[in-house]
Amino acid sequence: TDFIFMVRDTSYMFVTGPDVVKTVTNEIVTAEELGGASVHATKSSIADGAYDNDVECLLQMRRLIDFLPASNSSGVPEWPSLDQVAREEPSLDTLVPDNPNKPYDIKELILKVVDEGDFFELSESFARNMVIGFGRIAGKTTGFVANQPMVLAGVLDSDASRKAARFVRFCDAFNIPIVTFVDVPGFLPGTAQEYGGLIKHGAKLLFAYSQATVPLVTVITRKAFGGAYDVMASKHIGGDVNYAWPTAQIAVMGAKGAVEIIFRADIGDPEKIARRTREYEERFLSPFIAAERGYIDDVIMPHATRPRIARALA
């Protein structure tokens, strides 16, 4: 099934019900705790959305179906739009904070880029450090994949990788172009992630993007570090048009971490480390360096994001 919606407190899904569970494993659990809407929307990722009542659920399904093609061969639906394709959005110039450790809401960017601010988000409560969903650009359905700096600083973990990979493969199957917004400091470190097969799950996203034959447009808004930069629809795995904002930082790792490894001998001298960090930032982190080497097609101003994406897709 491509999409599953549930209604809170009335719909349940489980392979074995609470009574059988109690008999076999002595676990006492309610139907809601075992397979209610909240469980499947936040923990298991089986449901793509959970709504308060049947009417809302049906309305949201209608909204989703408006975005979807009738079949894999019918082409994406096109709707008349009153929104100007060349509309610029000056407020985006101040979206990314000056302090690289401060978060901002990537959904604000998506809502300001899509036609008429209409964005249908999927799996909102699961792996919230990744945002996926459908919007329209110039009246045509487009899939959006974006890191969410508000949650875990937007890092990639197993859940986020799986969530995005499945979405990318869906879009690819139905010829829906994909726009990717990148602000990713890397993969989430730690034993829990490694034991949970982060390498395997991260590879699913890498594979989904590299296999995709639909147009891939990527915009790097801030951080794009290490392997996570590669995985998020970079040029190296088949991104067609890759843009970066002037605030973008593209490197193997952040300046501080890199300098402490490269110049380990200078760690006792804070002034030297500060100077080396500045040098590293100027020499490696700038998007213009990546553009010189052909990894970025253009460094664009944030306010021009919508027209540039629209032109790339056209």
Side-chain angles (χ1 to χ4, degrees):
T1 316
D2 294 311
F3 301 103
I4 296 176
F5 289 151
M6 295 180 76
V7 179
R8 291 193 185 96
D9 303 323
T10 59
S11 50
Y12 309 105
M13 284 191 290
F14 26 66
V15 180
T16 48
D19 298 343
V20 180
V21 169
K22 186 175 181 221
T23 312
V24 177
T25 66
N26 291 327
E27 262 181 295
I28 295 169
V29 66
T30 64
E32 183 63 37
E33 288 165 350
L34 184 62
S38 54
V39 171
H40 287 311
T42 55
K43 288 188 182 142
S44 71
S45 82
I46 289 171
D48 295 287
Y51 301 107
D52 288 332
N53 54 55
D54 294 8
V55 177
E56 195 193 346
C57 189
L58 291 169
L59 287 172
Q60 293 300 337
M61 283 168 75
R62 283 185 182 185
R63 243 185 95 203
L64 173 64
I65 286 171
D66 283 346
F67 284 104
L68 300 179
S71 75
N72 66 326
S73 56
S74 62
V76 293
E78 192 170 345
W79 285 64
S81 170
L82 300 171
D83 205 341
Q84 293 296 316
V85 175
R87 166 173 64 81
E88 294 190 340
E89 195 60 67
S91 62
L92 289 179
D93 289 340
T94 53
L95 177 68
V96 176
D98 294 334
N99 179 350
N101 297 325
K102 268 202 173 150
Y104 60 94
D105 191 354
I106 203 78
K107 287 186 207 172
E108 187 183 330
L109 168 58
I110 299 174
L111 290 170
K112 285 176 176 173
V113 164
V114 295
D115 289 0
E116 292 157 9
D118 185 16
F119 174 60
F120 188 90
E121 190 180 348
L122 292 159
S123 304
E124 192 177 346
S125 318
F126 176 74
R128 289 180 18 254
N129 43 335
M130 181 70 83
V131 176
I132 58 169
F134 295 108
R136 291 186 190 89
I137 301 273
K140 291 184 177 175
T141 299
T142 308
F144 286 87
V145 177
N147 306 111
Q148 173 60 290
M150 301 283 280
V151 182
L152 291 174
V155 296
L156 276 176
D157 57 10
S158 296
D159 290 346
S161 303
R162 281 207 330 260
K163 170 177 164 177
R166 184 183 161 87
F167 181 71
V168 168
R169 294 178 71 99
F170 176 85
C171 290
D172 187 40
F174 287 86
N175 289 317
I176 299 168
I178 300 166
V179 173
T180 310
F181 291 120
V182 183
D183 183 353
V184 65
F187 281 100
L188 186 62
T191 51
Q193 286 298 310
E194 298 297 352
Y195 298 169
L198 178 61
I199 294 173
K200 189 168 72 175
H201 296 305
K204 287 177 184 168
L205 183 53
L206 185 76
F207 183 68
Y209 269 127
S210 12
Q211 207 196 17
T213 54
V214 293
L216 298 177
V217 179
T218 306
V219 181
I220 298 175
T221 59
R222 189 164 63 177
K223 295 173 180 164
F225 291 161
Y229 149 73
D230 275 326
V231 171
M232 293 298 294
S234 63
K235 262 276 184 275
H236 319 275
I237 64 166
D240 297 303
V241 181
N242 293 59
Y243 293 131
W245 286 4
T247 46
Q249 302 176 329
I250 304 161
V252 173
M253 61 196 300
K256 189 170 177 289
V259 166
E260 284 174 0
I261 291 170
I262 302 167
F263 304 107
R264 193 164 277 165
D266 298 344
I267 281 183
D269 188 341
E271 275 179 26
K272 259 189 184 171
I273 286 285
R275 194 177 73 246
R276 300 277 200 198
T277 305
R278 271 197 309 278
E279 282 170 12
Y280 183 94
E281 279 172 358
E282 283 160 19
R283 191 171 160 203
F284 294 114
L285 286 189
S286 152
F288 298 99
I289 307 294
E292 273 173 31
R293 297 183 181 169
Y295 304 145
I296 295 293
D297 292 305
D298 208 349
V299 178
I300 62 172
M301 287 306 289
H303 64 253
T305 304
R306 175 178 159 87
R308 295 304 290 268
I309 289 175
R311 204 162 85 197
L313 290 173

